[in-house]
Amino acid sequence: MTLKLAVPNKGRLHEPALDLLEDSGIGVIDRGSRQLFARTNISDLEIIFVRTQDIPNMVASGAADLGITGHDLILESESNVEELLDLEFGNAKMVVAAHKKSDIESIEEVEGKVKVATEFPNVTRKYFKENGIDVELSEVSGATEITPFIGMADLIVDLTSTGITLRTHGLEVIDTLFETSVRLIANPESLKDKKKKIEDIRRALESVIKAKPRKLVMMNVPNEKISNIKEIMPGMSGPTVSKVEGTDLLAVQAVVQSDKVYEMVNKAKAEGAKDILVIPIERILA
């Protein structure tokens, strides 16, 4: 029974999604630039390339068993899908923004009926309804940030990652609806009928995500310094220690968060550690 995984066919999520599949061992093979389908290294898993915004509905309908798409698009589509895993890329925030020359500095200051422009009408309506604000909604397909300048909107609701585009256009964030990133989603029925296969794929992707912020650190340490070294490099489950034959040294290795490596290596070196290796980790399976 073949599983179908829907993947963005282009755009900013396309390459990171393919890289994640490749790193997890799933990979994509025999795909031309115009092909809508592709095989993978897993015999019973097929890739479907479609528009990112269509993936939630495609998975909900059962046309695909799994999908890779943004959390924001899942909420906007209101599709009945299961979010299985945060893939930890495509991070952004859904925000409400107003022109800095307006009198609106927070959502609490919004009075009366306001004009709002957005590419996300469903999440926008829900947000303003929950805040008891009456809106005149304009749905746009791009360049949302220009609408306050042409009198089309008082506020906009849009995605932002750095906020640079908003600031460039003289806009300021007055509230955040939610944070978003790319997720692995599943059709609820597929999750019941093909649970083991889907879990194998989820686990493979998760193993890569867990490995990315970590390094394997290895070093040789004088026997009398081992207590100090253990304090410096505890690792995921404590360091692994073994005897280096023919010497008074101990070989120590541990998995360490990448942002801790610089400080830890310098401290270990000061304690007499030598032959220090810092090695990338491809996957971590608990």
Side-chain angles (χ1 to χ4, degrees), residues 2-50:
T2 300
L3 280 174
K4 290 182 172 62
L5 169 62
V7 172
N9 62 347
K10 58 184 178 180
R12 66 187 182 93
L13 305 185
H14 174 71
E15 289 299 333
L18 293 187
D19 289 344
L20 179 59
L21 293 173
E22 185 66 30
D23 292 343
S24 69
I26 294 172
V28 177
I29 56 179
D30 295 339
R31 193 233 171 176
S33 60
R34 296 180 180 274
Q35 283 182 281
L36 300 179
F37 299 89
R39 295 184 298 117
T40 69
N41 294 327
I42 301 173
S43 60
D44 53 1
L45 177 64
E46 183 179 62
I47 301 294
I48 308 172
F49 292 98
V50 294

Side-chain angles (χ1 to χ4, degrees), residues 217-221 244 249 252 269 272-278:
V217 179
M218 306 173 68
M219 61 184 69
N220 291 331
V221 179
V244 179
L249 297 174
V252 182
K269 191 70 176 174
K274 61 181 183 178
D275 305 325
I276 301 173
L277 299 177
V278 180

Side-chain angles (χ1 to χ4, degrees), residues 33 35-36 56 94 115 121 161 168-169 193 211 269 282 284:
S33 60
Q35 283 182 281
L36 300 179
M94 186 73 72
K115 295 185 292 184
S161 52
T168 299
H169 289 84
D193 299 337
K269 191 70 176 174
E282 292 187 359
I284 295 176

Side-chain angles (χ1 to χ4, degrees), residues 82 186-196 198:
E82 295 285 340
N187 175 277
E189 291 302 315
S190 297
L191 198 55
K192 294 176 185 177
D193 299 337
K194 307 172 184 179
K195 185 174 182 179
K196 184 182 184 305
I198 289 175

